[in-house]
Amino acid sequence: MKHICQLNEILSELDNNDGYLRDFINTEHIQAGILRLHVNDVDTQEPHPVDEVYFVIRGDGMIYLNGKDYPIKEGTSIYVPAGTEHRFQRNSEDLVVFYALASGN
């Protein structure tokens, strides 16, 4: 595991691997990474068994939380309790989000 990561490197890895999520920390106690959705991409996340936090680095759109949409934009922080249905959607530009949650390892 690298101790220092650069956002542009993570986004390049996502481009090269055709993905939208990349953990850069995955230890016994914490999992953290970057989520990037292009316009019209689908966020396929399922509820997690632990609490999770998000921070929007760039972009805008909506986050769906338990049946309701909430607007998000650069600088928005989001707390998602364990077991909560959630997904990012309706972004009008690339959405780049930092996430962190307690690890299930």
Side-chain angles (χ1 to χ4, degrees):
M1 174 181 72
K2 292 170 62 173
H3 290 274
I4 298 174
C5 297
Q6 297 294 323
L7 179 60
N8 288 339
E9 291 174 10
I10 295 168
L11 295 175
S12 291
E13 289 178 24
L14 288 172
D15 287 337
N16 293 336
N17 296 316
D18 199 30
Y20 83 102
L21 293 168
R22 160 86 167 49
D23 289 346
F24 58 82
I25 299 171
N26 196 351
T27 70
E28 182 179 349
H29 301 290
I30 191 168
Q31 179 182 358
I34 297 295
L35 174 149
R36 195 252 334 262
L37 288 173
H38 297 299
V39 176
N40 297 320
D41 281 355
V42 176
D43 182 3
T44 59
Q45 294 186 83
E46 297 288 330
H48 307 294
V50 296
D51 294 346
E52 183 171 24
V53 294
Y54 292 100
F55 183 81
V56 179
I57 297 170
R58 90 174 59 127
D60 62 19
M62 304 293 276
I63 185 162
Y64 175 86
L65 290 170
N66 276 341
K68 187 173 179 187
D69 285 328
Y70 298 89
I72 58 168
K73 62 182 181 179
E74 184 176 318
T76 302
S77 61
I78 304 150
Y79 166 67
V80 180
T84 301
E85 184 180 0
H86 66 287
R87 68 183 158 279
F88 292 96
Q89 56 191 22
R90 301 197 329 240
N91 48 306
S92 61
E93 58 187 299
D94 279 3
L95 181 65
V96 179
V97 179
F98 167 82
Y99 61 86
L101 58 154
S103 181
N105 290 344

